[in-house]
Amino acid sequence: MVAQTCTAVCLPQSLIALDWFGTAAFSFSGTLTAVRQDMGIIGAMFLATITALGGGTIRDLLLGSPGQAFWISDVRYFRVVLTTCIFTLLCWPTLTRLFKFEDSSWPFCLADALGLAAFAICGARVGLDSGVGIEGASLSGLLSACGGGIVRDVITNEPPRALHANRSAYATPALIGAIIYVCLRESGFFSENFALWTGFGCGLAMRILAFSLDIAPLRAQLKESEWQQILTPKDHRARR
């Protein structure tokens, strides 16, 4: 989610459009999660807002951005979320019944990937403009792309998909795309637009490959047999 401080500077219009598109895609995801959790209309709107705008809000708080939250200063973001949520609640059941749409189908995964990559780059841009270093700006991009989804999953008592290795890689493409953008920009050898689109393209391509080929991130338990010995209580091993 790109903050007002980011839209105020010169960004390619196409990237700004993708940021709006990603806001709608994440709002759609949050609304469907609310429906699966049997929430009410207010719950669906709340979860859609958290999913689409939560990461950028947390990012701005950590960066110490002055003033109001970006989606309060620029209320168009909130309007996009509410419009998408209402449209999903009213039209999604009919579309599913008539056209056999599923939220896991290719078009929706592509829309999610576009939003993820755009959020990562715009979030990293906000971090750099706030004066943080390469590491801080990269994490700013990661938080912008994945923070809202993590909060959504915690609220609905689901394992956060961005943190677990049992599904296709999600946080990794966002982080790598942000790192590439930040490093290219800070190197001084490349133009801003080249850095933007290279980081965006790498993040998008990695996410598409991940859900197309079902590529999961590396697990923390790299050698499962050794970890099982470490994590098994000693008294249990003695009895065995």
Side-chain angles (χ1 to χ4, degrees), residues 12-15 18 121 181 192-202:
Q13 290 298 317
S14 50
L15 187 61
L18 285 171
I121 300 305
Y181 161 67
E192 173 71 11
N193 280 347
F194 179 82
L196 279 170
W197 289 114
T198 301
F200 173 82
C202 290

Side-chain angles (χ1 to χ4, degrees), residues 44-132:
M45 292 181 177
F46 176 78
L47 212 60
T49 303
I50 287 292
T51 306
L53 307 178
T57 303
I58 299 172
R59 174 206 66 211
D60 287 351
L61 288 173
L62 293 177
L63 292 175
S65 299
Q68 300 170 325
F70 71 92
W71 53 274
I72 295 178
S73 299
D74 189 350
V75 75
R76 293 176 297 174
Y77 284 99
F78 190 54
R79 290 171 181 168
V80 168
V81 170
L82 291 184
T83 301
T84 304
C85 178
I86 293 171
F87 177 82
T88 303
L89 291 174
L90 294 177
C91 301
W92 182 248
T94 302
L95 294 175
T96 302
R97 184 177 66 256
L98 293 179
F99 302 104
K100 308 300 181 183
F101 282 160
E102 296 182 2
D103 61 313
S104 59
S105 59
W106 173 266
F108 297 103
C109 290
L110 178 59
D112 183 80
L114 287 168
L116 181 80
F119 284 1
I121 300 305
C122 291
R125 174 68 175 269
V126 172
L128 288 176
D129 291 344
S130 298
V132 300

Side-chain angles (χ1 to χ4, degrees), residues 19-239:
D19 183 56
W20 292 106
F21 183 78
T23 302
F26 279 32
S27 175
F28 169 79
S29 171
T31 304
L32 288 188
T33 302
V35 171
R36 294 192 185 99
Q37 295 289 328
D38 197 27
M39 292 185 176
I41 295 177
I42 298 300
M45 292 181 177
F46 176 78
L47 212 60
T49 303
I50 287 292
T51 306
L53 307 178
T57 303
I58 299 172
R59 174 206 66 211
D60 287 351
L61 288 173
L62 293 177
L63 292 175
S65 299
Q68 300 170 325
F70 71 92
W71 53 274
I72 295 178
S73 299
D74 189 350
V75 75
R76 293 176 297 174
Y77 284 99
F78 190 54
R79 290 171 181 168
V80 168
V81 170
L82 291 184
T83 301
T84 304
C85 178
I86 293 171
F87 177 82
T88 303
L89 291 174
L90 294 177
C91 301
W92 182 248
T94 302
L95 294 175
T96 302
R97 184 177 66 256
L98 293 179
F99 302 104
K100 308 300 181 183
F101 282 160
E102 296 182 2
D103 61 313
S104 59
S105 59
W106 173 266
F108 297 103
C109 290
L110 178 59
D112 183 80
L114 287 168
L116 181 80
F119 284 1
I121 300 305
C122 291
R125 174 68 175 269
V126 172
L128 288 176
D129 291 344
S130 298
V132 300
I134 292 177
E135 298 86 351
S138 301
L139 292 176
S140 176
L142 174 64
L143 184 57
S144 299
C146 301
I150 292 174
V151 175
R152 174 204 62 203
D153 292 339
V154 170
I155 290 175
T156 57
N157 200 29
E158 297 286 339
R161 64 170 301 174
L163 304 181
H164 287 259
N166 59 346
R167 301 179 66 178
S168 59
Y170 197 81
T172 304
L175 179 60
I176 292 179
I179 290 174
I180 291 174
Y181 161 67
V182 170
C183 289
L184 289 178
R185 172 176 159 170
E186 292 300 287
S187 70
F189 297 108
F190 303 96
S191 67
E192 173 71 11
N193 280 347
F194 179 82
L196 279 170
W197 289 114
T198 301
F200 173 82
C202 290
L204 176 63
M206 289 188 63
R207 176 57 191 148
I208 290 176
L209 286 175
F211 70 70
S212 298
L213 304 178
D214 197 24
I215 301 174
L218 292 176
R219 293 181 178 273
Q221 297 182 9
L222 298 182
K223 294 183 178 180
E224 187 172 354
S225 59
E226 295 181 6
W227 274 104
Q228 286 179 347
Q229 294 179 2
I230 295 173
L231 298 177
T232 302
K234 293 182 179 180
D235 57 342
H236 177 72
R237 280 182 284 173
R239 289 196 302 268

